Amino acid sequence: MDLLCTYGVLAGLLAIIASASTAAPEPNARPNIVLIVADDLGWNDVSFHGSTQIPTPNLDQLAYDGVMLSNYYVSPICTPTRGALMTGRHPIHLGLQHLTIHPAAPYGLPLGETTIAEALKQLGYKTHMIGKWHLGFFEDAYTPTNRGFDSHIGYYSGKEDYYNHCNDEDGWLGYDFHKNGSPYKPTFGQYSTEIYTQEAEAIIRDHSKNTSQPLFLYLAHQSVHSANNDDPLQVPHRYLEKFKDIKHEGRRTYAAMVSVLDESVGNVTRALRDTGLLNNTVIIFTSDNGGPAHGFDVNYASNFPLRGVKNTLWEGGVRGAAFIHSPLLALSSRTSHGMFHVCDWFPTFISIAGGDAAGFKNLDGYSQWASILNGTESPREEILHNIDPIFNVSALRWREFKLVVRDTYGGNWSGWYPPEEVTGSPHPTESDPRVSVD
């Protein structure tokens, strides 16, 4: 073989090696992290938990191929959960354990706290947020792009109209849709779930052009929280056609809203797959609290067979629907029965990113990455659900025992609320042996 031919063969081999190195991530490359939060989703509102009313095929596929969390706990309402999620600290240590931050409230997530976005930026991540913040905005310093996120599009308060993006609360009516700290009006009239999905797809496509830094994407959906009281449950009409069997109007509209949410998760997953990012991505899906069932908050979620509703300390108020999905998991397609609290995500994300959570002071969470990755035991034996000095209620779980001290609503909203009536069983998910109904 002459010298020119030898050089040609070597060049070809080098080209093949270079092509292979760009087609798949290195085993030690820091994974992308995509965190998807559903707002007010009930335990019994996904078919991977056995719902026969609401098929959620995209969520199901991720859950069944990943690790479903059957003993996963959140706070009973929005702001406390989001505070714990962002900081790894229990809401009682953030001053956020009672109700939520209202639009005119002059406080927020304490500025002295390090957010997960700030921590991941220190580890080299690009950080983007889409959707609901609900951790204070009375000063710019409290808003997402000043708390570690490179970008944010969405709203600051707890709820709003899905189309005009106005919030009617505490006697105030105002437009609440922002992009990178400024009011943003081109989205007026567009359905929020679809806006957020398109934004997530765009971020993923853009990131795939330069993967020198890993991606942290926090997609905090408005769905399926009720909107303003004048029109609380909103969905594009075409989705209602799928649920003609549900005769209760509120439950039917809610089911359609869940369907849009499920479609969104499918579209985001497809964007990750199409851009080649999925193989090195960890997807986390979680609800923020129990579902508002039986008309609570003018909504019709279902936590059955769990007791209670959103903003109660019964299991229906604090046990969240959650899973983690990734091709990186050594042991997947299973249900984890280990105890897991929402404040565990912060140190878990640090572990996923290759950092050391011990470098962060006063964390209340434990890294669960080893447990999720390899199926080892959870480091938890107990979970403090809450200590609310204003409602004068508290609850604690220790192993298989749970102590509830008093009731948020004095006995109201403490029952078991099956989903509103449905005729027939058009979606027989109970036949799927992978359904988790623990």
Side-chain angles (χ1 to χ4, degrees):
M1 183 181 294
D2 60 29
L3 187 60
L4 184 60
C5 183
T6 300
Y7 280 137
V9 172
L10 287 174
L13 288 172
L14 288 172
I16 293 170
I17 292 169
S19 174
S21 67
T22 56
E26 297 178 9
N28 294 325
R30 288 166 298 169
N32 305 302
I33 300 172
V34 176
L35 169 62
I36 303 174
V37 176
D39 199 345
D40 281 8
L41 183 71
W43 176 267
N44 189 33
D45 294 329
V46 288
S47 44
F48 67 83
H49 279 167
S51 173
T52 58
Q53 284 186 320
I54 310 176
T56 50
N58 296 294
L59 288 168
D60 292 357
Q61 192 62 58
L62 293 176
Y64 293 149
D65 291 343
V67 177
M68 293 182 281
L69 306 178
S70 70
N71 278 300
Y72 170 72
Y73 289 91
V74 289
S75 289
I77 201 166
C78 307
T79 292
T81 289
R82 292 164 199 271
L85 186 63
M86 284 292 102
T87 65
R89 305 198 67 209
H90 198 284
I92 66 168
H93 294 145
L94 301 170
L96 299 177
Q97 71 268 44
H98 178 72
L99 291 180
T100 62
I101 299 176
H102 285 218
Y107 71 101
L109 180 70
L111 296 180
E113 299 292 339
T114 299
T115 69
I116 188 59
E118 292 169 324
L120 290 175
K121 277 182 74 71
Q122 294 172 13
L123 292 171
Y125 277 70
K126 295 290 291 181
T127 59
H128 298 283
M129 180 183 173
I130 299 169
K132 176 175 176 175
W133 178 236
H134 213 188
L135 289 172
F137 65 100
F138 78 105
E139 291 180 353
D140 285 344
Y142 289 82
T143 58
T145 50
N146 290 306
R147 303 307 297 267
F149 288 99
D150 295 323
S151 72
H152 169 251
I153 185 167
Y155 62 113
Y156 293 154
S157 60
K159 53 97 178 163
E160 62 181 10
D161 190 279
Y162 279 74
Y163 290 98
N164 66 34
H165 312 302
C166 290
N167 183 15
D168 185 358
E169 192 169 357
D170 299 336
W172 301 89
L173 176 65
Y175 185 75
D176 182 10
F177 202 93
H178 296 78
K179 185 173 184 178
N180 299 331
S182 299
Y184 188 70
K185 296 185 179 179
T187 51
F188 184 88
Q190 299 177 39
Y191 191 67
S192 65
T193 309
E194 296 175 341
I195 296 169
Y196 299 147
T197 304
Q198 293 163 10
E199 289 291 332
E201 291 171 316
I203 287 172
I204 290 166
R205 287 193 299 268
D206 185 63
H207 186 82
S208 69
K209 298 173 184 176
N210 182 358
T211 58
S212 59
Q213 293 177 267
L215 170 68
F216 173 55
L217 175 59
Y218 174 31
L219 173 54
H221 268 298
Q222 180 177 357
S223 291
V224 283
H225 198 292
S226 52
N228 299 318
N229 287 340
D230 62 335
D231 189 11
L233 300 180
Q234 300 174 316
V235 71
H237 188 268
R238 65 185 183 276
Y239 291 93
L240 288 170
E241 296 298 309
K242 298 169 62 176
F243 298 96
K244 291 180 179 179
D245 55 293
I246 302 178
K247 301 308 178 184
H248 187 281
E249 181 180 357
R251 180 65 177 171
R252 181 170 65 251
T253 306
Y254 177 89
M257 293 166 71
V258 175
S259 184
V260 185
L261 173 67
D262 178 73
E263 182 180 283
S264 169
V265 173
N267 289 341
V268 170
T269 305
R270 186 178 304 110
L272 289 167
R273 183 181 298 110
D274 290 347
T275 55
L277 296 180
L278 184 60
N279 285 341
N280 194 39
T281 294
V282 180
I283 299 174
I284 296 91
F285 178 85
T286 173
S287 53
D288 65 338
N289 45 249
H294 203 57
F296 186 92
D297 261 5
V298 205
N299 213 328
Y300 292 92
S302 175
N303 305 306
F304 195 78
L306 306 181
R307 181 182 185 182
V309 301
K310 169 184 176 178
N311 205 31
T312 70
L313 293 172
W314 306 113
E315 290 292 284
V318 294
R319 199 189 297 195
F323 61 77
I324 186 165
H325 172 97
S326 177
L328 303 174
L329 298 178
L331 188 60
S332 58
S333 297
R334 65 185 178 88
T335 298
S336 170
H337 301 289
M339 295 176 68
F340 196 124
H341 188 257
V342 64
C343 68
D344 295 339
W345 286 122
F346 184 110
T348 300
F349 289 166
I350 298 301
S351 296
I352 293 172
D356 184 1
F360 297 90
K361 296 181 180 179
N362 302 319
L363 291 182
D364 296 311
Y366 298 87
S367 175
Q368 299 265 9
W369 186 228
S371 173
I372 293 168
L373 193 64
N374 302 310
T376 57
E377 289 190 8
S378 167
R380 278 194 175 276
E381 285 191 322
E382 66 179 30
I383 289 176
L384 174 65
H385 294 305
N386 202 16
I387 301 173
D388 188 327
I390 298 175
F391 280 151
N392 197 25
V393 295
S394 57
L396 171 75
R397 177 174 167 181
W398 179 75
R399 296 183 180 175
E400 299 305 311
F401 300 91
K402 181 169 179 175
L403 174 67
V404 178
V405 181
R406 286 176 291 274
D407 191 321
T408 308
Y409 296 102
N412 295 318
W413 301 110
S414 295
W416 288 262
Y417 306 103
E420 280 66 26
E421 288 300 319
V422 60
T423 58
S425 297
H427 312 301
T429 55
E430 71 272 18
S431 63
D432 192 323
R434 299 174 297 178
V435 166
S436 173
V437 292
D438 297 314

